């Protein structure tokens, strides 16, 4: 029977749906009134399923519609956020591309850190308490707040002063402050590396790279230092866009090394391991070491920088390959080989 590739119209769905169409699949976009515009204008969806709210995607009737269409759902950041991780794990009974059990490992900071550390990947030093701060740190808070309220501090006093100030302004609560995640501020350049692991070929591919464009920090740094001091605004790291980037070629062995290490450890910790797209968000320090501060175990937003291919994805077959098309191609190959169970969960 014909397979439909389905996803929620948000996040990275343009290239997921377009890539599926290019590989000959029919596509369905789950959307709501007012949010369907890009998918209609770019014509990436053959069918639409309308919901009143994105969080309705977990509802039984939507699942039923998806099953009727013989769908394979490609999950992304917004899909997981709206469906809810518990539902993705236990109640969303539609075949999904990738290993859904690994999604908890990217969303819980302690599991994410465990996987990265046990893989032998460099991560920023973590501080157990504000009292231990002995150099510049970045302070993060739980929940998907998209970098709002994050701040930089260089001493215990500065930590409490800034935390107090953000509390007064209603940005942080006492509970947030008690649960602050404090880590070494890595001074370096940002590379978010988009990989694809093919279980069929048993190979990690490098498909693209981006760096982040965050508000207000990327605007703040365009103001001369002395004016920044006068302005007295708190920085925030809210993602607003992505910029494609390539890395110095001599760093590519390290890029492949960390990707391979992660895939190999994930097989052991969360069998069958990583399947398909994943992303390592790195900072490259002055010693040219890649320090990983965040991981995604599904398409990352930065893969939108190469909907028409990246310098890296081009190298494989000399064609403009997107992450979405790479996913669809793996599904197509798995169907041909009668190995679909190797790429879905
Ligand atoms: P995401 O949406 O990617 O999960 P988030 O809100 O969890 O974002 P992070 O990605 O952890 O936030 O961090 C936001 C930004 O803060 C990063 O893009 C980077 O610019 C900066 N940053 C994070 N950790 C560090 C670090 N250890 N050293 C220096 N800068 C950092």
């Amino acid at each position: 029977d014909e397979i439909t590739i389905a996803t929620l119209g948000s996040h990275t769905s343009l290239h997921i749906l377009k890539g599926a169409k290019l590989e000959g699949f029919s596509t369905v976009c789950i959307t709501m009134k007012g949010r369907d515009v890009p998918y209609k204008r770019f014509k990436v969806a053959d069918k639409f399923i309308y919901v009143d709210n994105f969080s309705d995607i977990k509802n039984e009737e939507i699942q039923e519609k998806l099953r009727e269409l013989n769908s394979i759902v490609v999950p992304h950041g917004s899909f997981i956020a709206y469906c809810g991780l518990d539902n993705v794990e236990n109640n969303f009974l539609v075949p999904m591309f990738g290993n859904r059990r690994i999604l908890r490992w990217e969303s819980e900071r302690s599991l994410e850190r465990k996987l990265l550390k046990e893989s032998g990947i460099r991560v920023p030093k973590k501080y157990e308490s504000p009292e231990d701060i002995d150099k510049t740190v970045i302070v993060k808070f739980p929940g998907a707040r998209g970098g709002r309220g994050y701040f930089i501090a260089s001493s215990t006093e500065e930590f409490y002063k800034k935390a107090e100030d953000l509390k007064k302004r209603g940005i942080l609560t006492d509970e947030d402050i008690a649960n602050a995640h404090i880590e070494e501020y890595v001074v370096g350049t940002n590379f978010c590396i988009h990989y694809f692991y093919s279980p069929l070929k048993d190979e990690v591919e490098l498909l693209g790279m981006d760096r982040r464009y965050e508000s207000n920090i990327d605007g703040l740094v365009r103001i001369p230092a002395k004016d920044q001091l006068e302005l007295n605004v708190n920085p925030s790291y809210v993602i607003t866009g992505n910029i494609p980037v390539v890395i110095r070629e001599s760093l590519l062995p390290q890029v492949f090394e960390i990707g391979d290490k992660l895939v190999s450890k994930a097989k052991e910790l969360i069998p069958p391991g990583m399947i398909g797209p994943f992303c390592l968000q790195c900072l490259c320090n002055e010693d040219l070491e890649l320090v990983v501060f965040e991981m995604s175990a599904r398409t990352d937003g930065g893969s939108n920088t190469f909907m028409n291919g990246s310098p890296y994805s081009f190298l494989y077959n000399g064609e403009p390959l997107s992450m979405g098309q790479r996913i669809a191609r793996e599904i197509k190959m798995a169907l041909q080989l009668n190995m679909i169970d190797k790429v879905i969960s």
Side-chain angles (χ1 to χ4, degrees):
D1 275 4
E2 195 183 277
I3 299 278
T4 302
I5 302 298
T7 198
L8 178 69
S10 183
H11 197 262
T12 42
S13 61
L14 282 170
H15 64 80
I16 291 174
L17 298 172
K18 178 67 183 178
K21 279 179 79 74
L22 288 172
E23 290 299 312
F25 290 102
S26 60
T27 57
V28 59
C29 175
I30 308 159
T31 187
M32 56 193 234
K33 273 213 188 75
R35 290 293 299 265
D36 52 0
V37 175
Y39 315 102
K40 288 196 161 150
R41 295 286 182 93
F42 290 121
K43 303 182 174 57
V44 293
D46 297 315
K47 289 198 179 75
F48 289 90
I49 295 177
Y50 280 87
V51 290
D52 292 333
N53 288 299
F54 277 169
S55 51
D56 293 344
I57 51 174
K58 62 179 181 298
N59 292 357
E60 184 51 43
E61 64 187 271
I62 304 298
Q63 295 187 35
E64 189 52 45
K65 279 189 189 159
L66 290 169
R67 284 190 295 263
E68 272 165 22
L69 290 167
N70 229 349
S71 303
I72 295 178
V73 169
V74 178
H76 52 55
S78 305
F79 179 89
I80 297 159
Y82 286 108
C83 191
L85 193 51
D86 287 329
N87 290 317
V88 170
E89 286 174 331
N90 305 310
N91 306 321
F92 191 78
L93 306 178
V94 183
M96 200 177 261
F97 182 73
N99 175 5
R100 58 177 93 195
R101 283 216 309 130
I102 207 165
L103 299 171
R104 185 164 294 279
W105 288 69
E106 58 151 47
S107 76
E108 285 181 19
R109 213 167 249 143
S110 58
L111 288 176
E112 177 186 33
R113 212 177 150 80
K114 177 179 155 83
L115 175 56
L116 291 169
K117 280 186 88 167
E118 290 196 16
S119 301
I121 292 172
R122 269 187 209 88
V123 293
K125 180 181 168 187
K126 179 176 187 273
Y127 288 79
E128 293 308 326
S129 147
E131 317 301 323
D132 302 335
I133 297 174
D134 57 356
K135 59 175 183 174
T136 306
V137 297
I138 179 163
V139 184
K140 307 181 184 183
F141 297 92
R145 61 175 74 230
R148 199 171 129 82
Y150 287 17
F151 65 85
I152 311 289
S154 296
S155 66
T156 307
E157 296 70 50
E158 195 183 344
F159 173 94
Y160 285 115
K161 190 175 167 290
K162 288 191 169 164
E164 215 33 58
D165 183 46
L166 287 163
K167 196 181 117 183
K168 270 194 209 125
R169 298 174 51 181
I171 297 172
L172 296 177
T173 64
D174 280 326
E175 201 192 333
D176 289 331
I177 297 167
N179 290 312
H181 169 89
I182 307 169
E183 69 181 35
E184 165 196 4
Y185 187 87
V186 180
V187 182
T189 47
N190 180 218
F191 295 92
C192 298
I193 308 174
H194 306 281
Y195 300 90
F196 184 93
Y197 173 66
S198 164
L200 302 177
K201 293 191 186 167
D202 186 23
E203 193 171 46
V204 177
E205 299 166 6
L206 168 62
L207 291 192
M209 274 181 215
D210 78 285
R211 69 188 190 86
R212 302 289 141 125
Y213 201 38
E214 291 161 337
S215 193
N216 58 19
I217 191 70
D218 285 309
L220 207 54
V221 295
R222 287 176 51 86
I223 300 168
K226 63 175 175 29
D227 299 321
Q228 287 179 21
L229 291 173
E230 305 239 312
L231 210 61
N232 189 30
V233 295
N234 290 97
S236 62
Y237 297 81
V238 178
I239 186 83
T240 55
N242 303 80
I243 304 162
V245 65
V246 290
I247 202 165
R248 187 173 160 168
E249 192 159 313
S250 57
L251 289 170
L252 285 174
Q254 210 188 138
V255 167
F256 281 105
E257 186 193 331
I258 59 176
D260 289 350
K261 279 178 166 172
L262 190 82
V263 162
S264 132
K265 184 51 76 175
K267 275 187 188 158
E268 195 185 310
L269 289 179
I270 319 121
M274 196 70 85
I275 297 172
F278 67 100
C279 172
L280 293 176
Q281 292 179 225
C282 308
L283 291 158
C284 184
N285 66 23
E286 63 187 346
D287 299 323
L288 301 180
E289 297 164 330
L290 293 173
V291 182
V292 178
F293 63 92
E294 180 94 284
M295 167 198 86
S296 315
R298 31 100 192 145
T299 55
D300 175 273
S303 60
N304 286 339
T305 54
F306 59 100
M307 299 201 211
N308 58 344
S310 83
Y312 299 109
S313 77
F314 175 79
L315 292 174
Y316 288 97
N317 295 310
E319 54 169 357
L321 183 68
S322 70
M323 184 62 86
Q325 191 174 356
R326 182 65 190 86
I327 294 169
R329 195 168 283 180
E330 191 79 359
I331 295 173
K332 196 158 112 181
M333 194 171 23
L335 289 167
Q336 282 161 359
L337 297 171
N338 239 328
M339 291 169 78
I340 194 69
D341 54 319
K342 292 266 181 262
V343 302
I344 62 172
S345 60

